Amino acid sequence: MEKAVEKTQVLVDLFSYGIIELKIAYCLEFFSLPTRACNIECHIFHFDAALHSWLYSPDFKFVFAEVERGTGHAVCFASAGPKKNMYYQIMLNVVADYIFLKEKIFH
């Protein structure tokens, strides 16, 4: 079964780089184990690798999981390898928050 791909633009404020506009394609996959969860695969497209040297990889994944029958939520990022940096981590957090709020996951 093919996953539906959504596209959006996210603004990320990075120290010394200013506000960066990222065009992101992503797909959602919901599943239930002991708790409800959502796997999200993302791809940043149309970016200048020379300008965005902080970007470790244009592809990344993360999972949102519901905690204790909706009393909270957790996010877990797939490992990006040893070259992770502060800018990349900030970008991951902003994109995850944006998608969580935009898609109203678990609401």
Side-chain angles (χ1 to χ4, degrees):
M1 183 164 125
E2 207 168 295
K3 299 175 189 174
V5 175
E6 299 286 331
K7 292 184 179 179
T8 191
Q9 294 181 359
V10 178
L11 300 176
V12 181
D13 189 1
L14 298 177
F15 311 118
S16 74
Y17 283 95
I19 297 175
I20 307 295
E21 180 179 348
L22 299 174
K23 295 178 181 178
I24 300 175
Y26 64 95
C27 59
L28 307 173
E29 180 183 6
F30 289 90
F31 55 94
S32 291
L33 296 170
T35 61
R36 293 190 305 166
C38 179
N39 183 47
I40 301 168
E41 297 179 20
C42 299
H43 174 74
I44 298 173
F45 58 97
H46 301 301
F47 74 96
D48 182 350
L51 180 64
H52 300 302
S53 60
W54 55 269
L55 186 61
Y56 172 74
S57 172
D59 299 303
F60 53 96
K61 299 177 185 180
F62 51 95
V63 175
F64 285 114
E66 190 175 53
V67 178
E68 308 243 352
R69 290 180 229 114
T71 59
H73 300 95
V75 62
C76 178
F77 296 99
S79 176
K83 295 185 179 181
K84 291 187 268 186
N85 58 57
M86 177 180 69
Y87 302 110
Y88 189 74
Q89 291 300 312
I90 291 169
M91 181 274 301
L92 289 177
N93 289 326
V94 170
V95 170
D97 288 347
Y98 179 83
I99 291 174
F100 185 83
L101 294 171
K102 180 180 185 284
E103 294 292 338
K104 299 178 181 171
I105 295 176
F106 306 131
H107 288 99

